[in-house]
């Protein structure tokens, strides 16, 4: 029995963030599916793992954690010598730049991309109607954010350095959603962002996460 | 070398950084940025922070933005100096990270929206959205119930010591308690109240309050 357990849904972007990290590390883990359609994430059992009733939740032996970005940070440190190096060890300054781009993902990129994904990608799934005003507003915001990314990626192969790190990985779930919406044009029209997206979505670890959705 | 912090001393995100520097006993110089004059959107400033937000720091040749990246940097750089804000083992640090994420994703936006609707918009001569305020209040009540539960088991969010996770909450909590008239959300919760009283009475935070002329 693997010491690592991930409780969540393969359709949840936050769960995918953690799964991508584990696949990059090549560590064994057990996936415990949580049925969100039946409200399992709000059950008393689950709330003891994540009191906010959100997915994912994570266990590694005795350690219990929630918040996907805290989980990936832990995995990247604890299993630093396994699989892909997702940090930039050895220098506080390099780690700070990594942290900066993780914060940018969380505070600048996540909100508009999540809103577009919800309106265009998820709502139709559950029989709800897309609000095109919300989509338009958030495409505008995302365009400005991606302008900053375009400038950054002309100077650096990946966001935090010339190697793939957690900062890039954190973007994968929402990017995958965007690629299935008209907002894809915002990526296609920015050459460095486009090249970066092609690179990171082609990683074998990410393909494994996508394969889980088909099960 | 003195760390330059770009941003107004009364804004929440610069305060997050300043509180950290004070806890770590790191010298700093505040370079004011006039938000009302739109200085943060001017080309000069955008070179420091391409999203046009405060704060940004300059430490010799090293430049950084995003307040939570900055506090993590200084907590690590000056690990052996001032207050230990990170915890000791990897597991303790993971708990600090977890509650820093909670602050960023479950707490901050709700308080930010309340401040924007109740303080910022009226100052600009505009009407706040009362339905939105009510909705945020209701969500925040539920979040603080979870904090109450957590703080009934530990003295601080990540465990038994004050860490970055607690520090990160200070600026927004001050806004909530002092500026938007929602002190009851804190005072009505025994453990949240005790925690707020303790962390807001820290020497470093009180220094910042004095510097900011509160």
């Amino acid at each position: 029995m693997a010491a690592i357990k991930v409780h969540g849904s393969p359709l949840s972007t936050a769960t995918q963030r953690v799964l991508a990290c584990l696949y990059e590390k090549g560590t064994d883990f057990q996936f415990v599916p949580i049925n969100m359609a039946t409200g399992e994430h709000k059950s008393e059992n689950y709330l003891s793992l994540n009191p906010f009733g959100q997915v994912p939740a994570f266990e590694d032996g005795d350690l219990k954690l929630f918040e996907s970005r805290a989980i990936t940070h832990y995995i990247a440190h604890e299993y630093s010598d396994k699989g892909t190096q997702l940090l930039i060890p050895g220098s506080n300054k390099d780690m700070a730049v990594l942290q900066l781009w993780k914060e940018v993902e969380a505070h600048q990129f996540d909100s508009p991309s999540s809103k577009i994904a919800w309106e265009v990608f998820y709502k139709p799934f559950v029989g709800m109607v897309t609000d095109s005003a919300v989509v338009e507003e958030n495409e505008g915001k995302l365009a400005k954010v991606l302008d900053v990314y375009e400038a950054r990626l002309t100077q650096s192969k990946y966001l935090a350095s010339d190697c793939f790190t957690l900062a890039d990985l954190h973007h994968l779930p929402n990017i995958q959603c965007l690629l299935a919406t008209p907002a894809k044009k915002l990526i296609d029209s920015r050459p460095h962002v486009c090249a970066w997206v092609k690179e990171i979505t082609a990683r074998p670890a990410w393909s494994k996460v996508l394969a889980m959705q088909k099960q | 070398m003195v760390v330059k912090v770009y941003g107004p001393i009364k804004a929440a995100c610069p305060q997050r950084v300043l509180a950290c520097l004070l806890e770590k006993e790191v010298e700093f110089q505040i370079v004011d940025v006039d938000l009302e004059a739109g200085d943060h959107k001017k080309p000069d400033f955008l070179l420091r922070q391409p999203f046009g937000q405060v704060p940004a720091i300059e430490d010799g040749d090293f430049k950084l933005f995003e307040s939570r990246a900055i506090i993590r940097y200084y907590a690590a750089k000056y690990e052996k100096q001032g207050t230990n804000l990170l915890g000791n083992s990897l597991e303790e640090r993971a708990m600090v990270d977890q509650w820093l994420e909670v602050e960023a994703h479950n707490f901050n936006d709700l308080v930010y929206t309340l401040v924007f609707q109740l303080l910022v918009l009226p100052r600009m001569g505009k009407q706040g959205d009362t339905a939105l305020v009510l909705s945020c209040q209701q969500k925040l009540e539920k979040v603080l119930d979870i904090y109450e539960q957590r703080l009934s088991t530990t003295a601080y969010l990540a465990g038994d010591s004050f860490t970055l996770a607690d520090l990160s909450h200070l600026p927004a909590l001050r806004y909530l308690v002092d500026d938007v008239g929602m002190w009851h959300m804190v005072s009505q919760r025994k453990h949240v109240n005790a925690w707020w009283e303790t962390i807001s009475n820290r020497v470093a935070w009180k220094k910042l309050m004095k510097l900011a002329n509160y």
Side-chain angles (χ1 to χ4, degrees):
Chain A
M1 171 86 76
I4 294 179
K5 288 187 193 167
V6 179
H7 305 254
S9 161
L11 291 176
S12 133
T13 51
T15 305
Q16 290 167 8
R17 190 171 285 122
V18 171
L19 296 171
C21 185
L22 287 167
Y23 282 127
E24 287 286 352
K25 285 304 184 179
T27 41
D28 278 339
F29 67 92
Q30 184 193 348
F31 183 69
V32 181
I34 299 294
N35 190 340
M36 294 175 77
T38 61
E40 195 182 343
H41 53 314
K42 308 290 180 189
S43 68
E44 232 184 275
N45 232 1
Y46 187 77
L47 289 174
S48 66
L49 292 170
N50 184 326
F52 292 92
Q54 295 166 330
V55 290
F58 174 87
E59 293 178 87
D60 188 353
D62 286 335
L63 176 69
K64 289 180 163 55
L65 278 184
F66 55 90
E67 287 297 332
S68 65
R69 295 171 187 83
I71 296 167
T72 58
H73 193 205
Y74 164 74
I75 295 166
H77 276 277
E78 177 69 0
Y79 300 99
S80 184
D81 52 357
K82 275 186 154 187
T84 315
Q85 177 53 258
L86 293 171
L87 303 170
I88 316 172
S91 154
N92 276 332
K93 284 182 184 173
D94 288 342
M95 282 298 286
V97 174
L98 171 61
Q99 193 62 46
L100 186 161
W101 288 97
K102 283 164 66 187
E103 293 293 324
V104 167
E105 182 273 323
H107 295 283
Q108 312 287 353
F109 177 83
D110 187 67
S111 174
S113 58
S114 291
K115 288 189 174 126
I116 294 168
W118 170 244
E119 289 297 330
V120 184
F121 192 78
Y122 286 104
K123 261 178 152 179
F125 242 144
V126 295
M128 290 168 74
V129 177
T130 301
D131 184 336
S132 46
V134 172
V135 174
E136 203 182 319
E137 188 195 341
N138 284 284
E139 282 186 355
K141 288 179 179 170
L142 186 60
K144 291 187 178 152
V145 170
L146 291 178
D147 283 341
V148 176
Y149 280 45
E150 182 67 15
R152 172 64 181 169
L153 291 164
T154 55
Q155 299 169 342
S156 180
K157 185 162 185 226
Y158 295 91
L159 285 173
S161 75
D162 287 329
C163 297
F164 179 81
T165 65
L166 274 191
D168 310 287
L169 184 149
H170 281 184
H171 288 78
L172 280 163
N174 282 17
I175 282 177
Q176 194 67 44
C177 288
L178 290 177
L179 291 174
T181 72
K184 179 175 187 286
K185 63 183 187 277
L186 299 175
I187 292 169
D188 290 342
S189 56
R190 289 165 175 80
H192 293 87
V193 170
C194 190
W196 168 72
V197 164
K198 285 203 165 108
E199 280 270 340
I200 65 175
T201 52
R203 293 181 71 86
W206 184 242
S207 304
K208 288 183 186 165
V209 176
L210 295 180
M212 286 178 75
Q213 292 179 1
K214 293 170 186 156
Q215 286 162 16
Chain B
M1 177 81 39
V2 169
V3 179
K4 288 190 189 164
V5 181
Y6 290 81
I9 195 175
K10 282 202 148 123
C13 295
Q15 285 180 354
R16 183 174 288 116
V17 170
L18 297 169
C20 177
L21 293 172
L22 285 161
E23 290 282 354
K24 296 313 275 175
E25 296 159 18
V26 174
E27 264 197 82
F28 58 83
Q29 177 201 345
I30 300 170
V31 179
D32 191 33
V33 176
D34 189 343
L35 302 183
E36 273 179 51
D39 281 356
H40 53 315
K41 306 291 181 190
K42 293 184 178 154
D44 259 4
F45 189 79
L46 289 174
L47 288 172
R48 290 188 182 282
Q49 216 287 16
F51 299 94
Q53 294 167 337
V54 289
I57 62 111
E58 192 179 304
D59 188 345
D61 285 335
F62 187 57
K63 294 181 170 135
L64 203 57
F65 57 90
E66 285 295 339
S67 63
R68 295 170 188 84
I70 297 168
I71 62 176
R72 282 175 159 117
Y73 170 65
Y74 283 105
K77 183 178 181 188
Y78 294 104
E79 198 180 344
K80 311 256 186 276
Q81 179 178 308
T83 316
N84 178 358
L85 294 172
L86 286 174
N88 294 309
S89 64
L90 183 57
E91 285 73 20
E92 281 175 30
R93 286 185 185 212
M95 293 306 288
V96 174
D97 268 336
Q98 176 181 281
W99 288 97
L100 264 168
E101 293 296 318
V102 167
E103 182 273 320
H105 295 283
N106 292 65
F107 178 83
N108 185 65
D109 286 354
L110 295 174
V111 180
Y112 179 85
T113 304
L114 286 172
V115 171
F116 190 76
Q117 297 295 325
L118 292 170
L119 277 184
V120 178
L121 283 178
R123 261 188 223 153
M124 289 160 50
K126 296 181 184 163
Q127 272 263 61
D129 180 343
T130 37
L132 183 54
V133 167
L134 189 57
S135 160
C136 277
Q137 262 184 275
Q138 287 169 342
K139 288 176 184 169
L140 191 53
E141 296 272 12
K142 290 191 175 147
V143 168
L144 290 175
D145 282 344
I146 295 167
Y147 278 49
E148 179 65 12
Q149 225 279 319
R150 172 60 179 172
L151 293 162
S152 67
T153 62
T154 52
Y156 297 90
L157 285 173
D160 293 324
S161 309
F162 178 80
T163 65
L164 281 189
D166 311 286
L167 183 148
S168 199
H169 286 80
L170 278 161
L173 277 171
R174 192 211 62 80
Y175 268 100
L176 193 68
V177 169
D178 288 345
D179 289 355
V180 295
M182 295 189 182
W183 62 88
H184 60 278
M185 283 205 196
V186 170
S187 64
Q188 281 169 5
R189 291 173 170 84
K190 177 174 162 200
H191 297 95
V192 170
N193 192 52
W195 169 69
W196 163 247
E197 290 291 323
T198 306
I199 65 176
S200 58
N201 271 303
R202 289 183 68 85
V203 169
W205 183 249
K206 287 169 89 161
K207 265 194 202 160
L208 179 59
M209 293 296 96
K210 196 158 176 222
L211 273 172
N213 279 325
Y214 281 118

